[in-house]
Amino acid sequence: MNRRLTVFLLQYIFFPLALIAQAPVPSFEYEVSVPNPDSHAYHVSLELRNWPTDMVDLRLPNWMPGYYQMMDYYKGVRNFEVLSGQALDDSKPMTWTLSGVKGQKIQVAYDIFTDRTFVANSYVDADRAYIIPVNSFLYVDGYMNVPITVTVKKSNGWSDVATGLELVSENAQEAVFKSTDFDSFLDSPLLMGNLKKLPDFEVNGINHRFWGYKMGEFDEGKLVKDLQSAIQVASGIIDHIPYNEYTFIGIGPGRGGIEHLNSSTVSFNGDQLQSPQGYLGMINFLSHEYFHHYNVKRIRPFELGPFDYQNGSKTTQLWISEGLTSYYARIMVRRAGISSESDFLKGVASGITQFENNPGKEYQSLIESSFETWHEGPFGKSGKDPNKSISYYVKGPVVGLLMDFGIREATNNEKSLDDVMRELYHKYYLGLGRGFTDAEFRTVCTDMAGSPLTELFQYIYTPKPLDYDTYLGYAGLKLVKEQQTRSFKDRDGNPIEKSMDVYSLVPIENTSASQKAILDSWIGR
């Protein structure tokens, strides 16, 4: 080919690509303020620069990853204003369409009204502002990997802003944070107020913080020390810490917690730590939310990322994400030496008691429970027939226990569920940068055990009764059942008494060396 013609063709091919490469990247710049905290509302403005097309659909998420329910966040939007561009059809919920914006600076502003103190909802009052991004910030489909900044105006004399976002700058009037993508940005709640800060602590040279609102009175040194020990156990199981800093954010008294990539937001009241059982319950709760940064944020079902913020990301594997996280929370606390062997076994037996007294165990499988949570609720009690549903929070850790013992027995205690979790993390998250499929989870388990584990997987895919005697026996344990009458409240809050089977875990007499080895390594002796 003629050299001059070759040069011309190369220029013809690559010149448009060079123009594309030089095109300015869109950026999202948010500002948040709370001009009147008593109104229970906060103000958000968005400046979107370098938009490449004539029209743009600004959308608000409809749910929060980690809480698998549709939340209708758009209903809290008030006083929406378009400061540049032209607003078009506004009849679509959660979507605001603007035209005539190509190459322009797009500016919109709106208020978010809050009326519920819950970890998956923003809430503002005179004392603090808890702001979750999915409740607050508009995004655009197809533009999830663009630079984002948010400026938080310190309103009402508040001095502190706690979040997992990267800090750019801070002074007495405002704090500026940034993110490189929307999934991380929408996963980073903010708490503003005059917050209490517990002493920072390090695990493997990585800093950990705990900031909170209305934290109450408790032994701060003990809590920090125990959290440090529990996190050391978790990081040892997975053999990696993926973040530069981790922040616990206590949003005040209440119920519920949500996990994030490098933080967790938790309902926290230090007054609950005054009794031994209250303290143990709280440290288990905090360990649960912490372990989630591994299991679900990184060791995740394939469907959970990229997220479908409008319709929900549905998966049959929440029993892994939530159930096995509950299982490992207790293990973290036990192996850290925080709970006694007796308390640990009581906690495991309590989960078995809860599961075995649910009539839904005969009707619904773990994978069905995981998928149906969007309309049945995470505890399986909101559907048409609550007596035919289960909770993956309850059955998940029980099946995890049996699977752990099954793998240990099949490998002469050389492998365990710990190895499965570690392999999922290193192979799929670190190695492939994605989640695992249902089939891949099963393959990792069976490869680790060197056995098909057929019966154990029947416990996942079917309502087949669990063979406690066999699997607990591998660790020299047995299940003892007795009838007790306990007091409860029905769905309307009325007190009732109910006769139920209550289970306890006790050692078998004259255990073998194999049984003792499995029990010792599992329980952390």
Side-chain angles (χ1 to χ4, degrees):
M1 183 181 289
N2 181 283
R3 182 176 181 275
R4 186 174 296 176
L5 178 60
T6 301
V7 171
F8 171 78
L9 289 174
L10 289 173
Q11 289 175 335
Y12 179 80
I13 293 169
F14 289 109
F15 181 66
L17 295 178
L19 288 178
I20 293 172
Q22 294 172 8
V25 176
S27 64
F28 289 70
E29 300 177 10
Y30 300 92
E31 183 178 286
V32 180
S33 60
V34 189
N36 181 13
D38 290 329
S39 70
H40 300 295
Y42 56 99
H43 186 72
V44 180
S45 63
L46 164 63
E47 191 171 283
L48 204 169
R49 298 174 180 268
N50 306 319
W51 196 251
T53 60
D54 186 63
M55 295 180 62
V56 60
D57 285 337
L58 300 171
R59 313 191 78 179
L60 192 67
N62 197 31
W63 68 291
M64 184 177 190
Y67 188 73
Y68 306 97
Q69 300 283 289
M70 292 302 178
M71 298 297 289
D72 295 337
Y73 289 130
Y74 69 94
K75 292 181 179 179
V77 177
R78 305 282 193 274
N79 307 319
F80 192 94
E81 292 183 276
V82 179
L83 305 178
S84 63
Q86 180 180 355
L88 297 178
D89 180 13
D90 62 355
S91 63
K92 295 182 289 184
M94 302 170 283
T95 304
W96 292 263
T97 301
L98 279 62
S99 68
V101 295
K102 184 174 183 178
Q104 303 297 312
K105 180 172 66 174
I106 302 169
Q107 294 176 295
V108 298
Y110 48 94
D111 297 321
I112 301 288
F113 176 73
T114 70
D115 61 358
R116 184 184 180 195
T117 55
F118 179 56
V119 72
N121 281 92
S122 296
Y123 188 76
V124 169
D125 63 15
D127 296 321
R128 88 309 201 167
Y130 171 55
I131 296 171
I132 60 170
V134 289
N135 198 159
S136 312
F137 301 128
L138 303 171
Y139 73 100
V140 181
D141 281 331
Y143 292 86
M144 303 302 285
N145 295 304
V146 295
I148 303 153
T149 62
V150 57
T151 299
V152 182
K153 296 292 185 180
K154 295 181 179 179
S155 312
N156 205 38
W158 295 330
S159 59
D160 304 309
V161 182
T163 180
L165 288 169
E166 182 179 348
L167 180 65
V168 175
S169 63
E170 184 174 16
N171 56 42
Q173 287 73 45
E174 64 183 30
V176 182
F177 303 92
K178 69 177 181 179
S179 179
T180 57
D181 65 274
F182 263 97
D183 277 341
S184 299
F185 177 63
L186 294 175
D187 187 55
S188 301
L190 304 108
L191 178 66
M192 179 164 50
N194 294 318
L195 307 179
K196 186 172 187 175
K197 306 170 193 176
L198 301 187
D200 289 5
F201 61 92
E202 289 190 355
V203 175
N204 296 354
I206 305 296
N207 192 51
H208 294 71
R209 310 185 303 165
F210 198 135
W211 291 26
Y213 156 79
K214 281 194 175 179
M215 293 178 73
E217 298 298 325
F218 57 96
D219 187 336
E220 298 175 14
K222 176 176 171 54
L223 180 66
V224 166
K225 180 177 178 296
D226 285 345
L227 270 179
Q228 183 181 37
S229 298
I231 290 171
Q232 190 74 61
V233 170
S235 63
I237 290 170
I238 304 301
D239 196 26
H240 187 248
I241 294 180
Y243 48 78
N244 296 320
E245 185 173 60
Y246 190 91
T247 306
F248 291 95
I249 304 174
I251 64 171
R255 298 182 66 184
I258 298 286
E259 68 277 357
H260 308 289
L261 279 167
N262 63 349
S263 68
S264 54
T265 46
V266 293
S267 299
F268 181 88
N269 182 357
D271 296 340
Q272 296 174 334
L273 278 61
Q274 304 307 318
S275 70
Q277 288 308 113
Y279 184 88
L280 195 56
M282 182 60 73
I283 202 74
N284 270 296
F285 169 51
L286 295 174
S287 296
H288 177 106
E289 298 306 332
Y290 174 81
F291 196 77
H292 264 316
H293 90 81
Y294 288 124
N295 190 30
V296 80
K297 301 309 297 185
R298 294 177 173 90
I299 305 170
R300 62 173 178 82
F302 190 80
E303 299 85 355
L304 295 186
F307 295 110
D308 183 342
Y309 289 103
Q310 298 302 307
N311 304 302
S313 297
K314 299 176 176 64
T315 176
T316 60
Q317 305 300 302
L318 288 180
W319 76 269
I320 299 172
S321 301
E322 295 291 352
L324 295 190
T325 296
S326 293
Y327 178 66
Y328 272 101
R330 290 193 185 278
I331 285 177
M332 287 167 62
V333 175
R334 169 57 212 144
R335 292 182 189 168
I338 301 166
S339 66
S340 66
E341 291 185 12
S342 174
D343 282 335
F344 175 66
L345 293 177
K346 283 179 183 177
V348 174
S350 176
I352 295 173
T353 295
Q354 190 175 355
F355 171 67
E356 287 297 325
N357 281 277
N358 182 357
K361 68 184 180 181
E362 298 178 6
Y363 300 94
Q364 190 177 57
S365 70
L366 269 175
I367 62 168
E368 290 169 333
S369 172
S370 298
F371 197 79
E372 297 300 325
T373 188
W374 290 90
H375 65 84
E376 288 188 347
F379 300 102
K381 296 297 182 182
S382 302
K384 292 181 180 179
D385 191 344
N387 291 321
K388 292 188 176 181
S389 63
I390 62 168
S391 169
Y392 48 78
Y393 278 100
V394 178
K395 186 178 182 181
V398 176
V399 170
L401 167 70
L402 303 190
M403 182 169 286
D404 199 353
F405 287 164
I407 294 171
R408 289 174 185 271
E409 173 68 15
T411 63
N412 196 27
N413 202 37
E414 291 184 2
K415 300 291 183 181
S416 70
L417 192 61
D418 296 4
D419 296 280
V420 170
M421 302 304 288
R422 185 162 49 250
E423 175 72 3
L424 291 170
Y425 180 88
H426 286 269
K427 180 175 182 177
Y428 293 103
Y429 170 64
L430 287 183
L432 299 176
R434 64 170 175 85
F436 58 84
T437 66
D438 180 17
E440 287 167 342
F441 174 79
R442 184 163 185 164
T443 297
V444 170
C445 291
T446 55
D447 286 352
M448 205 62 67
S451 164
L453 303 176
T454 303
E455 185 174 54
L456 286 165
F457 278 95
Q458 289 176 341
Y459 299 154
I460 296 166
Y461 294 106
T462 76
K464 180 178 180 176
L466 308 183
D467 181 359
Y468 295 106
D469 290 344
T470 295
Y471 291 96
L472 295 177
Y474 293 151
L477 296 170
K478 66 179 179 180
L479 205 57
V480 175
K481 178 175 71 173
E482 65 173 321
Q483 279 266 319
Q484 290 185 11
T485 300
R486 293 189 173 182
S487 298
F488 298 92
K489 289 185 178 180
D490 63 18
R491 300 180 75 181
D492 298 320
N494 301 313
I496 56 173
E497 288 193 343
K498 182 179 178 181
S499 178
M500 60 188 298
D501 294 328
V502 177
Y503 294 84
S504 57
L505 278 172
V506 299
I508 297 171
E509 293 183 3
N510 302 317
T511 55
S512 67
S514 172
Q515 289 172 315
K516 186 178 186 305
I518 289 176
L519 181 61
D520 286 350
S521 60
W522 173 68
I523 210 167
R525 287 176 178 162

